[in-house]
Amino acid sequence: MTPVVVIAVLLAGAGGALLRYALSRALPVRPGHLPGGILIVNVVGSGVAGALIGLAERAALDGDLRLILVTGFCGGLTTFSTWTVETVELLDGGRWRAAILNVVVTLSLGLAAAAGMYLITR
């Protein structure tokens, strides 16, 4: 891995993180609702990563570009840690149904987005 690729991964990750931050500010967690902003970034990031992996599989995407976009951008955009903490906070607040729904919806939509986009692009 060249220094240029390392810097590109860092910059792409920063861009994804900034986009996630902007969306979480635009769609803050409201009482009585699921964490919509985090759900959106995780599902979109999963779909984008699935599409990029599909493109890379058929050699339509260079290995370095795949690393920059999947590891950098999608890695910065998506957030497992925030999702798990928000799920724990729902449980801690006695909202166990919302916590279970958050897990089921996020995993189902994330897997469906990744698999669907992968299958479409490969």
Side-chain angles (χ1 to χ4, degrees), residues 48-66:
V48 170
L52 293 168
I53 298 299
L55 289 171
E57 187 175 281
R58 64 178 188 159
L61 185 67
D62 173 68
D64 285 345
L65 187 56
R66 174 186 170 205

Side-chain angles (χ1 to χ4, degrees), residues 5 10 12-14 17 21 37 39-40 42 45 54 63 66 69-72 81 84 89 97 105 108 112 117 122:
V5 172
L10 289 169
Y21 173 74
L39 174 65
I40 291 169
N42 285 335
R66 174 186 170 205
L69 295 175
V70 174
T71 302
S81 58
T84 55
E89 288 174 340
R97 284 186 214 138
V105 168
S108 298
M117 294 306 294
R122 70 179 179 123

